[in-house]
Amino acid sequence: MTDVFAALLLGVIEGLTEFLPVSSTGHLLIAQHWLGARSDLFNIVIQAGAIVAVSLVFRERIWSLLTGWHDRAQRDYAFKLALAFAVTAMVGLPVRLLGWELPGTVTPIAWALVLGGIWILCAERLAERRPDRGDVTWTIAILVGLAQVVAGVFPGVSRSAAAIFVAMLAGLNRRPAAAEFAFLVGIPTMFAASGYAFLEYLLDEPAQAERWGELAVAFVAAMVTGFIAVRWLLGYVKRHRFTGFAVYRIVLGLALLLGLPAGA
């Protein structure tokens, strides 16, 4: 398998899994266990390709938030998105500066997939018992910001799953509303993460030559497949539960745990 084709495959995997509650980072690291490891810059920047996709899907919503400051509801929603992003940045940046790195083995990711799947099943059941509500509160914004940090520290958790189900448990139990808030707050979060990773590359790792052509291929692949995936998911969550994703996570995680050699 050529390096370019491997990069293309990784981009497709990223685009398909970034917005599904199955962990894109976890899937990338699992794939790289067999396709060959990539740099943190590669892993984070191709996520930005998927974020470009969600920006295109939500372009009208984003434009209304940017131009609708005269409307109190629009203004409050924008401020809550900003608060969630600020919490992620204020908590996540110190974690990064302390030297956090992605794990080099698949085992912790497999465990995170299993435990995350169980958590999704429990969280959705608990959320359904609460009164129907579609409004984002300030508390929900803070918790979503913290959930993004947890997902970033523990690959396999899934940023979208953490954000969606924390929001649902905190009272935003309409799945489409929770998904929309999670996706929108992911836009500045992932763009900031990609920018920071690029800055780190320029300042701290000048000797490491990134394969820019392969990165570009993966970025475009993630953008195209991400656009398709998020459009599909937004329609899916209007009519279905997240049970299928939870079962998939558990089955994949157990398969990895049972099939991996010791130390993998």
Side-chain angles (χ1 to χ4, degrees):
M1 182 180 295
T2 66
D3 290 341
V4 173
F5 183 76
L8 174 64
L9 184 57
L10 291 171
V12 170
I13 292 171
E14 161 59 30
L16 291 176
T17 59
E18 175 62 37
F19 306 105
L20 305 183
V22 296
S23 176
S24 61
T25 303
H27 277 72
L28 281 177
L29 294 177
I30 291 168
Q32 289 174 28
H33 185 72
W34 286 277
L35 297 177
R38 298 283 176 156
S39 66
D40 283 356
L41 177 68
F42 180 96
N43 291 327
I44 294 176
V45 169
I46 66 170
Q47 288 179 331
I51 298 302
V52 171
V54 80
S55 300
L56 293 174
V57 172
F58 283 104
R59 59 190 181 278
E60 294 181 1
R61 179 71 164 121
I62 294 170
W63 180 250
S64 69
L65 288 171
L66 292 174
T67 59
W69 290 93
H70 59 281
D71 182 86
R72 181 177 179 180
Q74 295 273 52
R75 187 169 61 248
D76 284 352
Y77 195 91
F79 279 136
K80 288 165 185 172
L81 286 171
L83 176 61
F85 169 69
V87 170
T88 300
M90 288 188 295
V91 179
L93 182 58
V95 172
R96 181 70 178 180
L97 293 175
L98 289 172
W100 169 86
E101 294 181 354
L102 293 172
T105 61
V106 175
T107 300
I109 298 170
W111 277 113
L113 286 169
V114 173
L115 296 175
I118 295 171
W119 181 69
I120 287 174
L121 293 174
C122 296
E124 190 161 44
R125 184 170 295 274
L126 288 172
E128 287 178 345
R129 296 176 181 175
R130 302 194 173 198
D132 185 47
R133 184 174 179 180
D135 298 326
V136 179
T137 65
W138 295 102
T139 299
I140 289 172
I142 293 171
L143 292 175
V144 166
L146 293 174
Q148 291 196 127
V149 177
V150 173
V153 172
F154 299 103
V157 171
S158 169
R159 187 201 62 80
S160 62
I164 289 170
F165 289 101
V166 162
M168 289 177 66
L169 286 173
L172 185 62
N173 57 358
R174 291 183 189 172
R175 285 187 293 270
E180 180 185 79
F181 190 79
F183 291 164
L184 288 173
V185 78
I187 294 173
T189 299
M190 291 312 305
F191 277 145
S194 297
Y196 185 81
F198 188 72
L199 183 62
E200 276 190 322
Y201 174 83
L202 292 177
L203 297 178
D204 300 333
E205 304 177 30
Q208 295 188 13
E210 186 65 44
R211 291 171 283 185
W212 296 107
E214 295 173 23
L215 180 57
V217 168
F219 182 93
V220 173
M223 182 173 62
V224 174
T225 53
F227 184 88
I228 296 169
V230 73
R231 288 289 298 269
W232 172 81
L233 184 63
L234 288 172
Y236 178 88
V237 298
K238 292 178 180 178
R239 302 179 298 274
H240 301 88
R241 295 160 56 101
F242 288 98
T243 304
F245 298 111
V247 172
Y248 167 78
R249 290 176 62 107
I250 294 169
V251 171
L252 176 60
L254 290 176
L256 290 169
L257 290 171
L258 294 173
L260 287 172

